[in-house]
Amino acid sequence: MSGSDQFHLLGVIGWPVMHSRSPLMHNYWMEQQGLTGTYIPLAIKPGTLEDALRGMHPLRFSGCNVTIPHKMEAMEIVDEVNDVARKIGAISCIVINEDGSLFGTNNDWLGFLGNLKHQQPDWRADAGPATVIGGGGGSRAVCYALQHEGAPEIRLVNRTHEKALAIAEEFGAPIKVIDWEERHDALEGAATVVNTTSQGMVGETALDIKLDNLSADALVADIIYTPLETPFLAAARERGNATVNGLGMLIHQGPPAWKRWFGLEPKVTDELRDIMEKSILNG
Ligand code: ATR
């Protein structure tokens, strides 16, 4: 369908999903870009993903984002997956083509990099080793981003060792798997440290890691955005380290999605960040 009478329908598929700030962000951009439409949370239970995705074309959706716990399963359902998503092993964004076929890609890695480059312009992945904590879908996107940017070594630490080993096998050098028990020492000499576990999120216990060996000049990032500052980030900031929270990663994966859906690049503005921060602070 084309023409100015089109109502653009998009959404984020997750379970749970009502905490997501994606609708707030995409609806802000709808207004910024002068499009008529809406972006809604789609609470899709595990086990019903395929029916939900196949129903989007008859409902005239243009596309959607995919979040926990559907990112890996969605990859098996869509009709086409690009190389980046295949390498990462998860999709975060789907385009619904005119003929009803589904195209999947992953923009999380672009969000992670875009945010770091925006918040810390002097940061360079090749400045030294990186330590990534966690081995889920978020970790895979972060590892891909760091590898893409030339991190000389990526120390991967995950509670479930096998998941980290699988990432190392798929990604190859420079991933080095380190035992969960050794996580405190894995910070030594790291130029970039990233938490990709769910530890520290609202309702979860804090990430259990000692920062004694953290270099003063290491950049410390968390992909969590609720709360805006996890206990892990707060501890790093109190030691004097530069820190970056996960909100910008969410914001910066948005424009590449818009490019896929509409061929448009919405602007990441301070106003948008303020609106999102306020929404998170107000619960
Ligand atoms: P996402 O797609 O957002 O990365 P995920 O795939 O569910 O979400 O990954 C969650 C990550 O948090 C995993 O690395 C998980 O560790 P396991 O692979 O061992 O499950 C990590 N995680 C969750 N709870 C944890 C805990 N209590 N202690 C340490 N790590 C934990």
Side-chain angles (χ1 to χ4, degrees):
M1 186 159 70
S2 63
S4 58
D5 60 344
Q6 182 171 1
F7 188 84
H8 298 281
L9 196 50
L10 298 119
V12 53
I13 288 183
W15 183 269
V17 78
M18 293 315 292
H19 67 283
S20 171
R21 295 316 193 275
S22 289
L24 183 63
M25 174 173 83
H26 289 287
N27 287 320
Y28 172 91
W29 281 331
M30 286 266 183
E31 203 174 323
Q32 182 195 75
Q33 298 294 314
L35 292 191
T36 304
T38 193
Y39 181 110
I40 56 175
L42 294 160
I44 305 299
K45 281 188 187 167
T48 65
L49 181 64
E50 180 151 19
D51 286 346
L53 287 177
R54 292 294 170 201
M56 296 187 95
H57 181 251
L59 289 170
R60 309 214 68 90
F61 272 79
S62 310
C64 65
N65 288 117
V66 185
T67 190
I68 291 175
H70 299 305
K71 285 185 182 185
M72 288 168 96
E73 193 191 343
M75 203 166 84
E76 306 305 321
I77 296 169
V78 297
D79 304 291
E80 189 191 348
V81 174
N82 67 357
D83 287 347
V84 168
R86 199 179 306 285
K87 177 94 197 282
I88 292 172
I91 61 174
S92 69
C93 175
I94 294 176
V95 180
I96 295 142
N97 295 315
E98 289 283 326
D99 65 358
S101 63
L102 306 173
F103 166 82
T105 185
N106 191 310
N107 296 322
D108 290 342
W109 73 284
L110 291 171
F112 175 73
L113 280 183
N115 183 38
L116 282 197
K117 289 179 176 178
H118 184 250
Q119 307 251 27
Q120 300 286 332
D122 295 334
W123 172 81
R124 292 181 58 95
D126 59 5
T131 300
V132 177
I133 306 147
S139 168
R140 286 171 164 269
V142 167
C143 286
Y144 181 85
L146 292 168
Q147 185 171 7
H148 184 270
E149 293 296 292
E153 179 181 308
I154 301 172
R155 302 168 184 167
L156 185 57
V157 192
N158 191 44
R159 178 181 62 174
T160 307
H161 194 70
E162 295 71 34
K163 278 164 76 176
L165 285 178
I167 296 175
E169 199 167 305
E170 286 169 44
F171 284 53
I175 308 257
K176 308 261 182 301
V177 176
I178 294 181
D179 287 348
W180 181 246
E181 290 68 34
E182 311 290 321
R183 63 193 178 283
H184 317 287
D185 296 336
L187 302 184
E188 192 165 351
T192 311
V193 179
V194 190
N195 174 44
T196 71
T197 75
S198 50
Q199 297 294 280
M201 201 181 276
V202 170
E204 300 279 348
T205 52
L207 179 66
D208 175 15
I209 193 160
K210 296 187 185 78
L211 302 187
D212 305 339
N213 292 330
L214 181 69
S215 305
D217 55 1
L219 174 71
V220 181
D222 204 315
I223 70 169
I224 292 170
Y225 65 87
T226 51
L228 287 169
E229 188 177 60
T230 57
F232 167 65
L233 277 195
R237 178 178 53 75
E238 279 157 20
R239 284 174 59 91
N241 287 79
T243 61
V244 173
N245 69 24
L247 181 60
M249 179 170 170
L250 173 68
I251 296 174
H252 284 269
Q253 56 77 43
W258 270 65
K259 202 159 181 203
R260 294 267 181 199
W261 294 328
F262 303 121
L264 297 172
E265 282 193 76
K267 290 178 193 65
V268 173
T269 60
D270 290 342
E271 183 189 51
L272 172 60
R273 188 179 282 272
D274 282 354
I275 290 170
M276 293 182 76
E277 281 184 0
K278 282 199 183 92
S279 159
I280 293 163
L281 290 171
N282 292 333

